[in-house]
Amino acid sequence: MGMLRLVRAFTGREKIIKFEGCYHGHADSFLVKAGSGVATLGLPDSPGVPKAATSATLTASYNDLDGVKELFAKNKGEIAAVVLEPVVGNSGFIVPTKEFLEGIREITKADGALLVFDEVMTGFRLAYGGAQEYFGITPDLTTLGKIIGGGLPVGAYGGRKEIMQMVAPAGPMYQAGTLSGNPLAMTAGIMTLKRLQQQGTYEYLDNITGKLIAGLLEVGREAGHKLCGGHIRGMFGFFFTEGPVNNFGDAKKSDTEKFAKFHRGMLEKGVYFAPSQYEAGFTGLAHTEDDINFTISAAKEVFQSI
């Protein structure tokens, strides 16, 4: 919400572009074709959101650069920012094309709009510098969630100095937060960052996650299921569809009933995946090779039973 206020304050514009199936918190302006729990429960948008709150929210299909260009052409000089998950995690795991990310960076610069990476999921998971380091594209603003507090409640946004100087007390845009600078969360966050800086961290995450997703796809396909999926470092996902999945429309072709049976079966064997086809998965440094082998072995049995 703070980021949204800031992009509008800095640009003097009101409209934003978000992507179908992407979730950026439950602020009114973002609850348009949102992913995550909204998608899981089949809610088109949320009751209680005034039309005025979403009238300035434009939506496009992920990985569709032409669609973004069309929105900019129809709303020239009116768009404050493009907000996106640099790797989608709220429609399942969806990777952007290089042309898509680079194209949006060029379009926003040319129009005077801001580019915002929502790194609540990708931050520190893809690389120490997040998805922007991994893909080599620098946004104007970045949002981060509780990962910067080692899992404790906290959030942050930051970006170019001239933009951040709009925020009070340096500038006129009001900002406040009950949990701002909470000592416990900050301490946990610092310790997490120190652990991530140790040598071999991301190589380890890439290795175990790659082994996990390759194993799941192999035993699932052997059991006769249509599956596709992938991973980047500590983030992964798979869909009960042949694929490929490049956007939310593709993700919705998944067999969600079959996923529900898979989730229940895995839960009964002691493996807890996110309870939604539309949520990405994460591995952590606490996961071991034995954990991965256990998961694949359990999945083999479950795949054969559904």
Side-chain angles (χ1 to χ4, degrees):
M1 289 186 285
M3 173 277 295
L4 183 61
R5 186 182 301 159
L6 178 55
V7 297
R8 287 169 168 164
F10 182 78
T11 62
R13 303 173 179 180
E14 290 191 7
K15 295 180 180 179
I16 61 165
I17 294 176
K18 70 174 291 289
F19 295 90
E20 295 171 8
C22 289
Y23 180 75
H24 307 288
H26 71 286
D28 285 354
S29 298
F30 289 122
L31 288 182
V32 181
K33 298 184 180 179
S36 193
V38 179
T40 303
L41 297 173
L43 304 174
D45 295 306
S46 178
V49 176
K51 289 183 180 179
T54 58
S55 61
T57 303
L58 310 174
T59 59
S61 180
Y62 201 81
N63 275 324
D64 179 6
L65 188 58
D66 288 337
V68 177
K69 289 179 179 177
E70 188 175 326
L71 286 176
F72 268 94
K74 291 179 178 177
N75 301 272
K76 194 164 181 62
E78 298 179 22
I79 296 171
V82 175
V83 184
L84 79 159
E85 297 177 65
V87 173
V88 179
N90 287 291
S91 301
F93 178 80
I94 303 175
V95 179
T97 65
K98 182 180 179 183
E99 294 76 18
F100 179 66
L101 283 186
E102 290 181 347
I104 289 178
R105 177 66 285 185
E106 291 172 6
I107 293 168
T108 49
K109 276 186 178 179
D111 189 79
L114 302 181
L115 174 59
V116 182
F117 274 13
D118 180 345
E119 296 234 38
V120 166
M121 285 193 176
T122 56
F124 306 126
R125 286 197 172 94
L126 270 56
Y128 193 74
Q132 53 202 271
E133 176 189 322
Y134 183 84
F135 291 113
I137 295 176
T138 305
D140 300 297
L141 287 170
T142 302
T143 60
L144 292 161
K146 55 185 174 287
I147 195 164
I148 68 165
L152 292 172
V154 66
Y157 60 90
R160 297 203 329 254
K161 183 177 181 179
E162 62 267 34
I163 301 174
M164 295 303 293
Q165 283 183 327
M166 287 291 297
V167 183
M173 192 211 85
Y174 182 68
Q175 162 69 39
T178 305
L179 294 175
S180 296
N182 177 272
L184 181 60
M186 295 302 94
T187 302
I190 289 168
M191 296 309 295
T192 301
L193 294 176
K194 286 181 178 178
R195 177 65 184 87
L196 291 173
Q197 286 178 321
Q198 293 180 17
Q199 191 170 358
T201 291
Y202 290 97
E203 289 79 5
Y204 180 79
L205 286 173
D206 194 49
N207 178 57
I208 63 167
T209 317
K211 183 176 181 180
L212 173 65
I213 193 66
L216 290 174
L217 294 177
E218 180 181 359
V219 296
R221 288 166 178 164
E222 284 177 354
H225 300 289
K226 292 181 179 180
L227 288 169
C228 67
H231 85 287
I232 299 177
R233 304 280 171 78
M235 187 174 179
F236 71 92
F238 58 95
F239 298 91
F240 278 88
T241 183
E242 195 166 347
V245 174
N246 294 311
N247 51 52
F248 187 45
D250 292 339
K252 287 193 292 185
K253 297 174 184 175
S254 301
D255 189 335
T256 53
E257 289 186 11
K258 188 174 283 188
F259 175 86
K261 292 177 182 177
F262 171 80
H263 180 271
R264 172 56 63 180
M266 292 299 286
L267 198 60
E268 290 172 352
K269 292 186 177 297
V271 181
Y272 188 18
F273 281 95
S276 170
Q277 174 71 94
Y278 302 124
E279 292 282 352
F282 310 115
T283 52
L285 297 174
H287 289 119
T288 65
E289 292 274 351
D290 287 343
D291 293 326
I292 303 304
N293 291 333
F294 178 86
T295 302
I296 295 170
S297 178
K300 184 173 183 178
E301 294 182 35
V302 173
F303 277 128
Q304 290 173 348
S305 70
I306 61 175

